[in-house]
Each structure stands twice: as structure tokens, then as C-alpha cells.
Amino acid sequence: MPRRWSGRVVAAIAAVIVLAVATTVVVVTGESDEPPAVTAAPTPPPTTTAPPPTTAPPKLSAGAETSAATLLGWPAPKRVDEFDGPLSSAWEVYDGDGHNGNGRRSPAAITTAGGILTITGDAAGRTGGMAWGPGQKYGRWEGRVRAPAADPSYHAVLLLWPDAENWPVGGEVDFMEMVDPARQSTKAYLHWGRSNNQVTAEVNVDATQWHNWAVEWTPDHIVAYLDGTEWFRSDSTRQLPPGKMHLAIQLDWFPEDGSATPTTMQVDWVKEYPL
């Protein structure tokens, strides 16, 4: 026969059911139809990008706007001397007999100050010269020069000279030779061959003022420029130097009767370029 529950048992069961229902209600009423709140991630502080480091622009040489290099679009120079300090070791400063054995070339005749090289020739023919070796076969060279009115015996010269020291066979390119003592005209001399053959030209210019003198040497020509304008050319390949040449700066003495008036030439800068 079915088991009957006592009143006490029924009351206990009822209490358990009520408690379970109450617990369920508590859980249900703890939920919400609203979505959970989302907490935004903290905003990082703004980042500042440091500006790229700046480099000083390359120094613009005096008179560069009228140089052959600028006007003709030459590539960057292989080397430059602005004479802003003592002479570099690349220069061979002459110390011995002067041109053709006349007078003497002395290191004491060469000074630098304020970015200017000065060569001084005195009354006795003591003067100076210097060579910028080693040279190159083919290339371009340019220098900025001025020369006050001078004694007739002093020539201010920019030239190319053979590295092999085999003159006259090795050639000589005087692309600026100031012979006129008033410095109102300048000559060019191209020396070539065993007999020291010469081709020459002359340009009228006030060389007591700063001017840029340049030369270009290729396998088929030599051209001289004054402030970027061509004024001398040789297209004869037999007249061109056979080997490497280097730049030289010289104040040469060609003595005449009596003593000379002290004379100077000044150089602001020189540059050597590849082709």
C-alpha cells in the first residue's frame, strides 16, 4: 500500500521547495537587460617625433656662381683647398732654384691668412711655388685668383705639370699666365713635344680683381675657361699631354735689368674634378 507522509515531513518538504524557489528568484532578479559597461582603455599620451637632425649646407666658395664648375654642371670635386688654415700635406712647396735657375723659390714666400693664399716675390727674385699631387690623366681643375699690378719680371701662373717630371715630352698646360705687369690681360700656353712646341692665346681681363680660371683635359681636347666662358681650345690630340698631370701655383721670376718691385698673387681656392 502507498506510503503516507506525516504532516511534519510534508511541512519540511514544503519549506525546502520554498527556499529553492526563493534562491532561484534571487538569481534571476540579479540579471539585467542592459549590456555590461565597457571601460575604455586609457588613452596613451601623445607622442612627439623628434625632428631629423640637420646638417649644415656645404660651404659655398666665393665666386662659385661664375665658376666653370657651376655654369657647366661639373660633378662634385675630388678635392678642394679653401686655404682656411695651414697648407695640407698634399702640397709640395718648392725650396730651391727659381724658374730656369733664376732667383730662388722659398717656402717663406708662401703664406695663408683669412682663407687666402699669398705668394710674394721680392726685389731679389726670392719667390714661391707649390704643386698639388698626385695628378690624374684627364680631368678638370679650377682656381680663383687675383694679382695686383706687378713688376714686369714676375709672372703669376696656374698650370698643369707632368707627374713624371719628363718635361718637355710630358707637356705643360699654362691655363693662366699673367705676363702683363698691369694685369689687364692674361695668356695661355700649351707646351707639347720634344721640341717644346707651343700654342698660345690671350684674353683681356682686369686680373687685379677676383676671377675663376679653369681647364678641362679630355682624350680629345684641352679647353681653358675664364669665369665659365671658354677662351682657349686645342682639339689636336698630338698636342695633348701623354701622362698624368697635377696642378701647380707659381709666381715665376724672369729677371730684367735692375732690381724688381715686390709682387704678389693671391688664391682664394682651388678644386680638382674628375671628368
Side-chain angles (χ1 to χ4, degrees), residues 96-183:
D97 291 341
H99 180 265
N100 280 343
N102 297 312
R104 182 170 182 82
R105 288 166 168 161
S106 169
I110 299 174
T111 59
T112 57
I116 303 295
L117 170 83
T118 300
I119 303 179
T120 302
D122 67 13
R126 187 185 71 163
T127 182
M130 47 199 268
W132 204 21
Q136 58 185 359
K137 187 170 184 180
Y138 311 127
R140 303 173 176 111
W141 293 259
E142 189 162 24
R144 185 166 176 81
V145 181
R146 72 177 175 187
D151 188 89
S153 63
Y154 276 112
H155 295 189
V157 191
L158 291 181
L159 69 148
L160 302 183
W161 185 261
D163 279 16
E165 297 289 339
N166 58 341
W167 188 91
V169 175
E172 177 184 347
V173 184
D174 305 315
F175 62 97
M176 183 211 80
E177 183 160 351
M178 298 178 185
V179 178
D180 174 19
R183 302 310 196 221

Side-chain angles (χ1 to χ4, degrees), residues 66-271:
T66 59
S67 68
T70 297
L71 296 175
L72 302 176
W74 290 356
K78 291 173 60 176
R79 55 180 175 170
V80 176
D81 200 333
E82 298 272 359
F83 303 114
D84 289 329
L87 290 180
S88 78
S89 59
W91 290 102
E92 176 192 351
V93 179
Y94 307 157
D95 189 3
D97 291 341
H99 180 265
N100 280 343
N102 297 312
R104 182 170 182 82
R105 288 166 168 161
S106 169
I110 299 174
T111 59
T112 57
I116 303 295
L117 170 83
T118 300
I119 303 179
T120 302
D122 67 13
R126 187 185 71 163
T127 182
M130 47 199 268
W132 204 21
Q136 58 185 359
K137 187 170 184 180
Y138 311 127
R140 303 173 176 111
W141 293 259
E142 189 162 24
R144 185 166 176 81
V145 181
R146 72 177 175 187
D151 188 89
S153 63
Y154 276 112
H155 295 189
V157 191
L158 291 181
L159 69 148
L160 302 183
W161 185 261
D163 279 16
E165 297 289 339
N166 58 341
W167 188 91
V169 175
E172 177 184 347
V173 184
D174 305 315
F175 62 97
M176 183 211 80
E177 183 160 351
M178 298 178 185
V179 178
D180 174 19
R183 302 310 196 221
Q184 296 301 302
S185 67
T186 298
K187 292 187 175 184
Y189 296 91
L190 176 58
H191 301 251
W192 62 278
R194 293 183 180 277
S195 300
N196 187 26
N197 304 295
Q198 297 180 35
V199 181
T200 186
E202 186 170 6
V203 62
N204 293 322
V205 61
D206 181 3
T208 66
Q209 305 300 310
W210 288 109
H211 292 284
N212 303 320
W213 302 89
V215 63
E216 176 181 75
W217 170 33
T218 77
D220 57 21
H221 68 254
I222 281 183
V223 178
Y225 298 94
L226 168 59
D227 293 332
T229 299
E230 178 181 326
W231 68 281
F232 170 79
R233 170 184 286 266
S234 173
D235 295 309
S236 173
T237 55
R238 69 175 183 159
Q239 296 174 355
L240 304 185
K244 292 182 178 181
M245 306 285 277
H246 59 261
L247 177 70
I249 306 171
Q250 298 173 187
L251 183 61
D252 288 341
W253 189 50
F254 295 78
E256 300 181 357
D257 294 338
S259 61
T261 301
T263 296
T264 63
M265 68 177 292
Q266 295 182 312
V267 185
D268 191 351
W269 48 258
V270 292
K271 301 180 183 184

